[in-house]
């Protein structure tokens, strides 16, 4: 059973890593909540594995101390799922903060109660797989087990109700797929884990033995259910992140001609040029960030080769063509930068007349397209380096 649980933990931890925020992306409460939920779920399954429970009990010298640790992590997961759904639905920030604080307060109190009840209980016989049913009639342990099951069931009911209500709205695409996965995972969790555990515990209260539901049915159902509903939460986020990375890769490729044109005519080395081993593991957004930093640094070094007379002439020509002021300014920058690259490579005519102040406002992609068109149109011996 530990292998199944560890596999679920690894997959959820991998999802948390894949959902990392790109370096230049502003912090998002939804992204943070999604990653936190995946991480807490991974931690929850890690602590619940019998091998981990035995190691924790042995390391602390306290029999069954892994139980409140596992039950607390399950409660924390229930709390994080509700908070994630709160952020996923959105709404006024004050309402989101108020509901988040309320959820944390409820489940925080539940976790404190679980720890307190365990400390009061008499549970000196170590049970790694059937603790719920073995101690179902033990004072304080009985209440602790009931509390964590009720807390988990409550979160499942709340999440299911909200998702069902939301699914009736006009939801399409990956969001609809995500909702269906969440509902499927919650249903499996409710029937395969919570109901199985509750049935086994209640059977013990009534003098029957249905421990197989708790020890054999519940753990794999919980792992599979968590993977399914976590996929439902994560899928839309991963899809949007993948789209952003694809755009970053396209922009990176579009900027390559510009970088090829400027990297050999500047005197200082790149600020952070990727080494040979980085491209295969770096995300496109990180590689794009470094490339843009290198290009901006190179353009700053080329300022001494810019000729403002070329810029003025390009601006006047653009205005005469009827272009707007902003477009005329971009044309001025573009021609001045291209002329500066020529001069830096020894192909310019006469001394440059650099402007006193210069700031790049034109888009780098537009500039790269202009450089690429020039390189393709010019004879091979006159191409920009």
């Amino acid at each position: 059973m530990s292998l199944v649980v560890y596999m679920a933990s690894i997959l959820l931890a991998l999802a948390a890593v894949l959902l990392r925020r790109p370096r230049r992306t502003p912090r998002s409460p939804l992204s943070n909540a999604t990653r936190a939920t995946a991480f807490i779920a991974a931690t929850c399954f890690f602590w619940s594995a019998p091998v981990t429970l035995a190691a924790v009990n042995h390391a602390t010298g306290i029999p069954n101390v892994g139980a409140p640790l596992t039950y607390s992590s399950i409660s924390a997961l229930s709390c994080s799922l509700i908070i994630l759904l709160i952020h996923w639905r959105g709404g006024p920030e004050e309402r989101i903060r108020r509901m988040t604080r309320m959820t944390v307060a409820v489940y925080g109190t539940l976790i404190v109660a679980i720890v307190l009840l365990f400390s009061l209980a008499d549970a000196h016989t170590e049970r790694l797989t059937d603790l719920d049913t073995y101690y179902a009639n033990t004072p304080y342990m009985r209440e602790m087990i009931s509390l964590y099951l009720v807390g988990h069931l409550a979160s499942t009911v709340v999440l299911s109700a909200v998702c069902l209500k939301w699914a009736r709205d006009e939801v399409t695409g990956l969001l609809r797929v995500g909702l269906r996965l969440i509902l499927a995972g919650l249903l499996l969790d409710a029937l395969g884990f919570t109901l199985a555990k509750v049935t086994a515990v209640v059977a013990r209260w009534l003098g029957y033995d249905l421990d197989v539901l708790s020890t054999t049915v519940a753990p794999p159902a919980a792992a599979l259910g968590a993977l399914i509903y976590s996929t439902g939460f994560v899928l839309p986020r991963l899809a949007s992140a993948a789209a952003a990375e694809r755009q970053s890769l396209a922009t990176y490729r579009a900027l390559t001609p510009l970088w090829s044109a400027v990297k050999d005519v500047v005197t200082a080395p790149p600020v952070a040029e990727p080494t040979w081993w980085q491209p295969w593991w770096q995300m496109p957004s990180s590689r794009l960030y470094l490339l843009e930093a290198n290009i901006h640094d190179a353009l700053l070094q080329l300022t001494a080769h810019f000729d403002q007379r070329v810029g003025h002439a390009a601006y006047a020509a653009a205005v005469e063509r009827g272009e707007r002021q902003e477009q005329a300014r971009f044309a001025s920058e573009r021609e001045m930068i291209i002329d500066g690259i020529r001069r830096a490579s020894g192909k310019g005519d006469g001394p440059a007349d650099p402007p006193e102040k210069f700031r790049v406002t034109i888009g780098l992609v537009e500039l790269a397209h202009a450089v690429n068109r020039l390189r393709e149109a010019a004879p091979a011996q006159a191409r920009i380096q």
Side-chain angles (χ1 to χ4, degrees):
M1 185 176 71
S2 292
L3 180 60
V4 174
V5 176
Y6 281 142
M7 285 299 297
S9 178
I10 291 172
L11 291 174
L12 289 165
L14 180 62
V17 172
L18 292 176
L19 285 168
R20 70 181 182 88
R21 179 178 59 89
R23 184 179 304 184
R24 296 181 302 165
T25 303
R27 292 185 178 274
S28 167
L30 177 58
S31 298
N32 294 338
T34 305
R35 290 192 67 198
T37 299
F39 178 76
I40 292 174
T43 304
C44 177
F45 282 105
F46 175 78
W47 288 127
S48 64
V51 173
T52 305
L53 292 174
V56 171
N57 294 341
H58 177 74
T60 60
I62 303 175
N64 300 312
V65 72
L69 183 62
T70 301
Y71 296 161
S72 296
S73 64
I74 291 174
S75 300
L77 175 59
S78 300
C79 178
S80 68
L81 286 170
I82 295 176
I83 292 174
L84 175 56
L85 191 64
I86 291 172
H87 284 89
W88 209 26
R89 292 197 65 188
E93 291 186 7
E94 181 57 35
R95 175 178 172 272
I96 292 175
R97 285 195 296 266
R98 184 175 65 255
M99 295 182 67
T100 300
R101 287 194 297 264
M102 184 184 306
T103 304
V104 171
V106 170
Y107 279 91
T109 303
L110 178 62
I111 292 173
V112 171
I114 287 173
V115 175
L116 180 61
L117 288 169
F118 177 79
S119 66
L120 296 174
D122 182 10
H124 298 299
T125 302
E126 184 180 59
R127 311 300 297 187
L128 298 179
T129 59
D130 63 345
L131 183 140
D132 290 342
T133 51
Y134 185 85
Y135 287 107
N137 291 306
T138 302
Y140 300 114
M141 290 292 287
R142 175 181 58 234
E143 286 76 14
M144 180 189 73
I145 294 166
S146 300
L147 269 181
Y148 102 83
L149 287 175
V150 169
H152 188 64
L153 179 61
S155 70
T156 304
V157 171
V158 170
L159 288 168
S160 299
V162 173
C163 287
L164 282 172
K165 182 177 182 297
W166 197 9
R168 297 191 186 99
D169 299 334
E170 291 297 326
V171 179
T172 59
L174 286 176
L175 190 56
R176 176 182 291 275
V177 175
L179 278 174
R180 290 177 176 175
L181 287 173
I182 292 171
L183 287 170
L186 290 173
L187 181 63
L188 181 58
D189 183 272
L191 298 179
F193 176 77
T194 309
L195 184 59
K197 285 278 187 181
V198 170
T199 301
V201 170
V202 172
R204 279 282 186 163
W205 292 349
L206 300 176
Y208 298 99
D209 185 353
L210 295 178
D211 292 6
V212 66
L213 294 176
S214 178
T215 58
T216 305
V217 176
L224 183 57
L227 287 175
I228 293 174
Y229 63 64
S230 295
T231 301
F233 278 115
V234 166
L235 184 61
R237 296 292 306 156
L238 282 180
S240 61
E245 293 299 334
R246 284 198 301 271
Q247 181 59 48
S248 295
L249 181 59
T251 304
Y252 183 93
R253 290 172 175 170
L255 292 180
T256 301
L258 179 58
W259 174 238
S260 298
V262 300
K263 68 177 181 179
D264 294 330
V265 296
V266 294
T267 56
V271 293
E273 186 172 16
T275 57
W276 66 270
W277 50 268
Q278 284 177 313
W280 69 269
W281 67 266
Q282 274 192 329
M283 299 294 284
S285 56
S286 298
R287 297 169 62 187
L288 177 62
Y289 177 83
L290 294 179
L291 182 62
E292 290 178 338
N294 289 334
I295 291 175
H296 279 290
D297 184 69
L299 292 178
L300 181 63
Q301 295 179 50
L302 288 173
T303 303
H305 300 280
F306 293 165
D307 192 334
Q308 59 182 338
R309 293 168 298 186
V310 173
H312 293 330
Y315 184 88
V319 171
E320 186 175 348
R321 291 193 300 269
E323 295 185 10
R324 293 178 301 173
Q325 183 177 0
E326 183 181 24
Q327 295 301 320
R329 187 175 70 251
F330 289 162
S332 171
E333 289 183 25
R334 181 174 60 249
E335 295 304 320
M336 192 160 50
I337 291 173
I338 292 175
D339 181 72
I341 296 173
R342 288 200 196 95
R343 290 176 182 277
S345 60
K347 297 181 176 64
D349 298 327
D353 182 16
E356 294 183 3
K357 294 181 181 180
F358 180 79
R359 183 171 64 90
V360 178
T361 60
I362 187 175
L364 293 183
V365 173
E366 180 182 348
L367 181 60
H369 288 331
V371 170
N372 194 41
R373 286 194 299 269
L374 182 63
R375 295 181 67 183
E376 292 177 348
Q381 66 272 17
R383 287 181 179 176
I384 300 175
Q385 299 295 322

